[in-house]
Amino acid sequence: MSEDYESELPEQIAFRMAKREKLNELSDAYPVALPITHTIEAVKAHYPNLEADITTGDQVALAGRIMFLRNTGKLCFATLQSGTGERIQAMLSLDKVGEEQLELWKELVDLGDHVFVAGEIITSKRGELSVLASEWKMAAKTLRPMPNLHNELEEEFRVRHRYIDLIVRDRAREVVKIRSEVMQSLRSTFANQAYTEIETPMLQVMHGGASARPFKTHSNAFDTELYLRIAPELFLKRAVVGGLERVFEINRNFRNEGADRTHSPEFAMLEAYEAYGDYNSMMVLTQQLIQNAAMDVLGTHQVVLEDGEINDLGGQWDRISLFGSLSAAVGEEVTSETPIANLKKIADKVEIEIDHPLHGKYVEELWEHFVKPTLSKPTFVMDFPVDTSPLTRDHRSQKGVVEKWDLYVRGFEQATGYSELVDPVVQRERFTKQAELAAKGDPEAMRLDEEFLKALEFGMPPSGGMGMGIDRLLMSLTGLGIRETILFPLVK
RNA sequence: GGGCCUCUAGCUCAGUCGGUAGAGCAACGGACUUUUAAUCCGUGGGUCGUCGGUUCGAUCCCGACGGGGCCUACCA
């Protein structure tokens, strides 16, 4: 380490560096192993309510991070915290550790340090469960000062230093745990229905499965452009062609588009496909996945959100038709046959501008303006325009409409499901139309994927499919913004 | 992409109608054997996001750039 580096250090780091040096001279600032006998959690659980000023005679050895330090002349107090946030008090007294060890403690131990203490379980005069140390050791010296524990950290600081956020904020740890348990719940719902979890490529020669702009990268080995996937759909369908009749994948998608409170450039996506299912069976599955997750993780379908509001996920969720609900909202019949000119008139009346060649885009924009804001309860919105859903089967009884639903929860799209298009000839036609859009400059239009079409030509059974944003599921269950549901969201 | 706001000590924030800055916690020195954000006395710590411009003088006014936020348009 150069002297330049040290001389430029903020004073608090320089002091801690010196303490680290001294610890290493005396023994070790970062010992490889410590004779720990108990976790803080175990000790707390074992002595739930001792009276004040008690000695137990029980010896323990434990370690934790120092969150508070209260050093007096001959008796020092420290609050040690475990990784789960559980805390216990350590006491170091002159008569138990001796003058030398007490002085070293006061000289070398800072807030944030991991320390080891061994001693007797007691309660203090004020009743605080404590380890009265007969011995202490540095477990790991911290070089940087901890933030002020009495003010909330700024949002940006929390995101950029999530490890500190996790140390000081209970809710940060809770959200990590909730997310992990939601994942387990989803997998268990799938496992109970004989689904197989698979992983499909995230680096793709051709991106597809959604309308979105991809991230591009380059492979040296293949000397070719590659894309980070925008969706796993086309590979999961290949798996269904291959006979994996119930498959799902939970993994990251990447979309080179805007970032805001509900969008992150990389986000966790769940997709599931079920041979001989359709969009009706996928609605049942999706409702089960979410309701089970709420029940397994939070113990209720009446989820309390961050702002105190209740998100009621219970019961049978509403199912409405896209064209029907739009027609009711605008007060006139809107169908897949309604001329664009008429749609434009409706749009003009409420002063929304739509500039897109697709009829379906008009319908969806109008729906989002008139109906979407009125949805508060979880609602399946069914039967979408064909020209905006190139991978979806035509409706079994309605013309110009496909068997697709979107699930809206608290006003944003939570999941989507389809009766999958499995006719390779129709799929080729749909891709061709997408290619025309791409030629006209639509950066989100899909590509014609010959390899995928070849797979379909080998016969894909009739299937239902669904996709759900995991981060958004976490948002629905907690009321947090997407950057709070992702442990380490992308920051510049 | 467009509009508005913001960046000051390790952290959270004040502040200067233009004369180079403060608080609380944290840190350093001292006192203290029952503290709970311990207390008391004392001390240090800043390229005021970066680069330019205006000015005798800029942390403050102006411009550009960078980070962040909110609103707005688009994708889940």
Side-chain angles (χ1 to χ4, degrees):
Chain A
M1 186 145 320
S2 74
E3 279 188 27
D4 273 359
Y5 174 77
E6 289 191 23
S7 66
E8 283 170 17
L9 289 175
E11 60 166 358
Q12 297 203 40
I13 296 181
F15 280 119
R16 284 162 183 250
M17 290 285 281
K19 292 174 184 179
R20 173 188 168 278
E21 290 291 325
K22 179 149 185 188
L23 284 161
N24 279 335
E25 282 164 24
L26 293 169
S27 58
D28 194 347
Y30 304 96
V32 65
L34 292 157
I36 290 168
T37 62
H38 292 71
T39 62
I40 294 175
E41 289 80 357
V43 173
K44 295 271 279 202
H46 199 257
Y47 307 94
N49 38 24
L50 290 182
E51 309 221 336
D53 207 9
I54 276 182
T55 58
T56 65
D58 299 343
Q59 297 290 316
V60 298
L62 50 76
R65 189 191 287 273
I66 296 192
M67 302 306 285
F68 298 105
L69 256 186
R70 297 174 290 276
N71 290 345
T72 72
K74 299 186 181 68
L75 180 63
C76 298
F77 302 87
T79 304
L80 303 191
Q81 179 174 295
S82 76
T84 66
E86 199 71 61
R87 293 177 177 179
I88 194 166
Q89 179 165 271
M91 293 169 64
L92 290 93
S93 72
L94 179 63
D95 27 301
K96 293 290 178 194
V97 298
E99 188 174 349
E100 189 190 353
Q101 284 305 307
L102 190 68
E103 285 310 309
L104 286 173
W105 169 273
K106 286 198 271 187
E107 181 186 345
L108 298 175
V109 172
D110 286 304
L111 283 179
D113 290 350
H114 293 274
V115 297
F116 166 89
V117 290
E120 184 184 358
I121 296 292
I122 63 160
T123 53
S124 71
K125 284 182 179 165
R126 297 283 177 88
E128 186 78 27
L129 184 66
S130 308
V131 179
L132 179 60
S134 47
E135 184 194 356
W136 79 270
K137 283 180 180 158
M138 182 61 65
K141 182 70 194 168
T142 63
L143 294 181
R144 290 180 183 269
M146 293 282 283
N148 173 357
L149 291 179
H150 317 302
N151 297 97
E152 288 204 347
L153 295 172
E154 267 189 336
E155 148 91 19
E156 187 183 359
F157 187 91
R158 294 210 313 253
V159 167
R160 288 184 187 275
H161 306 85
R162 186 68 85 193
Y163 46 93
I164 296 176
D165 192 29
L166 291 169
I167 294 166
V168 305
R169 195 167 59 95
D170 294 340
R171 187 63 177 159
R173 286 187 297 273
E174 285 166 18
V175 172
V176 172
K177 194 147 185 284
I178 288 172
R179 185 169 179 126
S180 167
E181 289 172 357
V182 165
M183 293 296 195
Q184 286 178 40
S185 171
L186 293 171
R187 290 190 159 105
S188 120
T189 299
F190 279 120
N192 289 337
Q193 301 189 29
Y195 270 81
T196 304
E197 179 171 12
I198 65 172
E199 288 158 271
T200 66
M202 297 173 94
L203 283 173
Q204 301 182 345
V205 173
M206 174 164 294
H207 67 275
S211 299
R213 300 187 208 190
F215 285 95
K216 277 184 206 170
T217 185
H218 182 264
S219 162
N220 292 336
F222 292 87
D223 188 24
T224 185
E225 262 201 342
L226 291 178
Y227 300 95
L228 275 62
R229 76 175 189 197
I230 56 175
E233 172 156 353
L234 302 186
F235 282 97
L236 289 169
K237 283 181 170 171
R238 285 167 165 89
V240 176
V241 170
L244 295 169
E245 296 192 338
R246 293 181 169 211
V247 285
F248 75 98
E249 175 167 14
I250 301 178
N251 227 320
R252 231 74 65 78
N253 287 350
F254 306 86
R255 297 193 185 172
N256 207 344
E257 297 171 343
D260 59 31
R261 199 178 155 74
T262 56
H263 296 87
S264 172
E266 58 173 322
F267 61 101
M269 187 76 184
L270 159 66
E271 285 199 15
Y273 293 84
E274 183 175 316
Y276 303 104
D278 61 10
Y279 78 151
N280 292 308
S281 67
M282 296 324 268
M283 276 192 283
V284 174
L285 172 69
T286 302
Q287 187 175 319
Q288 280 176 354
L289 284 166
I290 296 176
Q291 289 183 335
N292 288 354
M295 191 56 79
D296 291 348
V297 178
L298 304 169
T300 177
H301 288 163
Q302 273 67 49
V303 173
V304 182
L305 301 180
E306 206 69 3
D307 59 7
E309 272 186 48
I310 305 282
N311 185 19
D312 185 356
L313 297 170
Q316 174 69 47
W317 295 345
D318 289 346
R319 300 179 179 188
I320 63 174
S321 120
L322 183 110
F323 282 97
S325 58
L326 177 58
S327 300
V330 300
E332 62 181 276
E333 182 79 0
V334 177
T335 70
S336 58
E337 313 274 270
T338 307
I340 284 193
N342 292 22
L343 298 177
K344 205 162 185 133
K345 262 185 222 160
I346 298 171
D348 288 344
K349 253 187 252 172
V350 290
E351 293 181 346
I352 51 175
E353 274 187 45
I354 306 169
D355 182 27
H356 203 278
L358 292 180
H359 182 273
K361 199 76 187 168
Y362 273 86
V363 173
E364 288 183 13
E365 294 266 347
L366 287 174
W367 183 87
E368 282 182 19
H369 180 267
F370 282 100
V371 186
K372 183 174 159 181
T374 68
L375 299 180
S376 53
K377 291 191 296 178
T379 305
F380 289 104
V381 182
M382 299 174 66
D383 301 331
F384 277 65
V386 61
D387 48 10
T388 50
S389 307
L391 300 168
T392 312
R393 179 191 282 268
D394 286 329
H395 196 279
R396 60 196 78 185
S397 62
Q398 296 175 41
K399 216 179 149 209
V401 170
V402 292
E403 295 201 348
K404 166 188 173 178
W405 51 257
D406 272 355
L407 170 64
Y408 280 83
V409 179
R410 296 181 63 238
F412 60 76
E413 205 180 328
Q414 172 75 77
T416 185
Y418 311 96
S419 296
E420 298 298 343
L421 175 55
V422 295
D423 181 333
V425 175
V426 175
Q427 183 65 78
R428 183 177 292 277
E429 291 167 3
R430 298 275 188 85
F431 273 147
T432 304
K433 279 186 191 149
Q434 286 288 307
E436 287 166 12
L437 287 175
K440 284 180 194 160
D442 184 345
E444 293 175 3
M446 292 182 194
R447 311 284 188 78
L448 194 149
D449 189 334
E450 280 297 347
E451 287 302 313
F452 171 66
L453 287 172
K454 190 202 279 183
L456 284 192
E457 286 163 7
F458 279 96
M460 173 166 163
S463 301
M466 63 83 65
M468 176 159 67
I470 299 291
D471 315 289
R472 289 194 167 183
L473 175 57
L474 266 291
M475 292 165 68
S476 294
L477 295 174
T478 62
L480 294 165
I482 197 165
R483 277 156 62 92
E484 294 290 328
T485 70
I486 299 174
L487 189 53
F488 297 107
L490 179 66
V491 284
K492 257 172 118 174

